[in-house]
């Protein structure tokens, strides 16, 4: 049996968090929009929420069992919890923050997280990355059987985040306990977690490796969280070919090698899209011509929005093609790289990844 078994039902204001998971000595990331119930799951496991129905079993020990009125106190659960704002005690220095509730040697943890030189510093004097290291050290000081991370990178600035993300990835890989983190960023989840679960309005929509969610998203909502462009349309067999024809809501015609019929979501990833100043030829190539709406640099890549699509190209290519807002460009992508999913009745409308 896996070390962690969770089965909870927790009413929220306008939906119910209803989730069942089993977790080994691995890291699970729960991703989803704000207000989807991710943090409520962590708080319920930690004993900070009182659910209507719940069974939480850690290493064979029931922590919460509403059927038998079991509710182990928070301080007795052997769970490390890193809060989104780190929740350090402002009146205590680094050493005493970590020592609060510690079971092991504080000095060893301070050396491990490279914060020994900050021993006498108060949290207000620390950088974002330093505060996170202190919060992680404090969470591990109780020798936890489970680690919970709530948006562990959200409080960091854009320059610090990649560095701390790499450090955190190395840390969680070295832990021999279950780890659950929540985030709204799929790329962070893919970097840090062995498995990723996508939540919406309290429901776990799909769970799998990052690769599985990228290549086989269950619906357009999940595809949008993995970074895909998602365009609604209507599919039918394309006469005279082995392709599926999808007519988008604006009348644009798209082809796919996937078989589908009726209302669908067209799914294409930004890195599958090429840009040019003129439409290319070829029956196996889709193209959408439109005005460049935005150009955003991300590291050595550039994200370009052309009409409803967002393409991701190299900075060198963007400069060579003189891509700028207001120009007319054509976004092209192969029919073989165009996924088509049946549209879920009542599903959310999604139009593409964030630029």
């Amino acid at each position: 049996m896996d070390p962690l078994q969770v089965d909870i039902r927790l009413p929220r204001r306008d939906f119910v968090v209803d989730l069942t998971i089993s977790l080994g000595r691995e890291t699970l990331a729960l991703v989803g929009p704000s207000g989807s119930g991710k943090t409520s799951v962590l708080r319920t496991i930690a004993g900070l929420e009182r659910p209507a129905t719940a069974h939480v079993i850690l290493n064979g020990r029931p922590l919460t069992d509403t059927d038998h009125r079991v509710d182990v106190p928070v301080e007795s659960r052997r769970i490390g919890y890193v809060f989104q704002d780190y929740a350090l005690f402002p009146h205590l220095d680094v050493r005493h923050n970590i020592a609060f509730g510690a079971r092991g040697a504080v000095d060893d943890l301070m050396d491990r997280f490279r914060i020994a030189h900050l021993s006498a510093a108060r949290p207000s004097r620390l950088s974002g990355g330093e505060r996170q290291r202190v919060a992680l050290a404090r969470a591990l000081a109780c020798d936890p059987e489970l680690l919970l991370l709530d948006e562990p990178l959200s409080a960091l600035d854009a320059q610090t985040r990649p560095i701390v993300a790499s450090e955190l990835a190395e840390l969680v890989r070295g832990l021999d306990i279950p780890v659950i983190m929540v985030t709204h960023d799929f790329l962070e989840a893919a970097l840090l977690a062995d498995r990723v679960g996508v939540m919406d309005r309290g429901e776990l929509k799909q769970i799998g490796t990052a690769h599985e969610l990228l290549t086989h998203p269950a619906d357009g909502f999940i595809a949008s969280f993995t970074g895909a462009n998602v365009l609604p349309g209507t599919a039918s067999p394309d006469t005279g070919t082995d392709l599926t024809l999808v007519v988008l809501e604006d009348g644009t015609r798209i082809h796919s090698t996937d078989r589908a019929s009726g209302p669908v979501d067209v799914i294409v990833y930004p890195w599958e899209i090429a840009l040019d100043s003129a439409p290319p030829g070829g029956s196996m190539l889709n193209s959408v011509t439109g005005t460049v709406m935005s150009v955003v640099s991300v590291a050595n890549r550039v994200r370009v929005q052309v009409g409803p699509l967002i393409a991701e190209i190299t900075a060198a290519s963007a400069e060579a093609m003189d891509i700028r807002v207001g120009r007319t460009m054509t976004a092209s992508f192969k029919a073989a790289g165009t996924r088509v999913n049946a549209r879920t009745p009542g599903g959310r409308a999604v139009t593409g990844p964030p630029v």
Side-chain angles (χ1 to χ4, degrees):
M1 179 182 293
D2 286 333
L4 180 65
Q5 309 287 324
V6 177
D7 185 2
I8 62 175
R9 182 175 174 81
L10 179 68
R12 298 286 81 182
R13 185 174 58 187
D14 56 351
F15 61 85
V16 175
V17 177
D18 194 347
L19 176 138
T20 301
I21 55 174
S22 179
L23 191 63
R25 300 180 188 282
E26 58 182 323
T27 299
L28 170 68
L30 297 176
V31 303
S34 297
S36 61
K38 306 184 301 298
T39 295
S40 294
V41 171
L42 296 192
R43 291 177 59 83
T44 299
I45 294 171
L48 298 171
E49 293 274 1
R50 295 294 178 264
T53 305
H55 300 87
V56 178
I57 301 173
L58 181 59
N59 291 324
R61 178 194 181 200
L63 301 181
T64 302
D65 184 343
T66 52
D67 292 343
H68 298 91
R69 299 178 181 270
V70 174
D71 187 12
V72 174
V74 174
E75 63 273 14
S76 300
R77 292 194 175 214
R78 296 276 307 274
I79 294 176
Y81 198 136
V82 177
F83 295 88
Q84 184 172 347
D85 60 358
Y86 307 139
L88 300 176
F89 298 116
H91 62 290
L92 297 181
D93 60 26
V94 167
R95 171 178 289 279
H96 288 92
N97 261 283
I98 298 171
F100 189 87
R103 290 172 177 263
V106 172
D107 288 338
D108 290 346
L109 281 167
M110 293 179 66
D111 289 338
R112 178 180 180 182
F113 286 93
R114 302 189 301 279
I115 52 176
H117 63 291
L118 300 172
S119 175
R122 297 285 179 90
S124 61
R125 305 299 299 271
L126 304 179
S127 69
E130 290 167 343
R131 284 195 296 273
Q132 192 206 52
R133 292 190 190 100
V134 174
L136 283 166
R138 187 178 65 180
L140 294 177
C142 70
D143 190 22
E145 297 176 334
L146 168 68
L147 180 63
L148 305 177
L149 306 172
D150 189 358
E151 297 278 5
L153 303 176
S154 65
L156 304 176
D157 59 61
Q159 289 183 321
T160 306
R161 191 176 296 119
I163 299 170
V164 178
S166 297
E167 293 176 348
L168 185 57
E170 183 179 357
L171 168 69
V172 296
R173 281 195 296 268
L175 297 176
D176 192 32
I177 60 174
V179 179
I180 303 178
M181 63 171 286
V182 303
T183 178
H184 61 274
D185 189 319
F186 179 78
L187 293 180
E188 285 181 7
L191 171 66
L192 297 170
D194 301 292
R195 289 191 293 158
V196 180
V198 181
M199 289 189 66
D200 183 38
R201 294 180 60 79
E203 178 187 357
L204 187 61
K205 307 277 287 185
Q206 186 176 358
I207 188 169
T209 65
H211 179 73
E212 288 168 346
L213 268 61
L214 278 167
T215 54
H216 296 96
D219 57 31
F221 176 78
I222 292 166
S224 71
F225 258 94
T226 66
N229 293 280
V230 183
L231 307 173
T234 303
S236 61
D238 189 36
T239 305
T241 74
D242 292 329
L243 303 176
T244 294
L245 171 66
V246 181
V247 180
L248 303 183
E249 292 180 342
D250 65 356
T252 300
R253 295 161 67 89
I254 299 294
H255 289 90
S256 173
T257 54
D258 289 353
R259 300 296 177 88
S261 183
V264 296
D265 286 318
V266 172
I267 298 169
V268 59
Y269 285 91
W271 49 88
E272 299 282 355
I273 299 174
L275 297 180
D276 209 329
S277 57
S283 60
M284 293 292 286
L285 204 60
N286 296 309
S287 63
V288 174
T289 299
T291 301
V292 174
M293 306 299 293
S294 64
V295 181
V296 178
S297 296
V298 182
N300 64 339
R301 310 284 291 180
V302 176
R303 286 199 156 196
V304 182
Q305 182 173 357
V306 177
L309 291 171
I310 293 171
E312 186 175 290
I313 62 176
T314 65
S317 295
E319 183 178 0
M321 288 187 286
D322 189 26
I323 293 178
R324 60 184 184 276
V325 173
R327 278 200 67 183
T328 298
M329 301 291 293
T330 296
S332 303
F333 47 98
K334 296 178 180 178
T338 304
R339 302 274 67 82
V340 175
N341 275 14
R343 191 162 180 76
T344 304
R348 294 195 183 197
V350 282
T351 57
V355 180

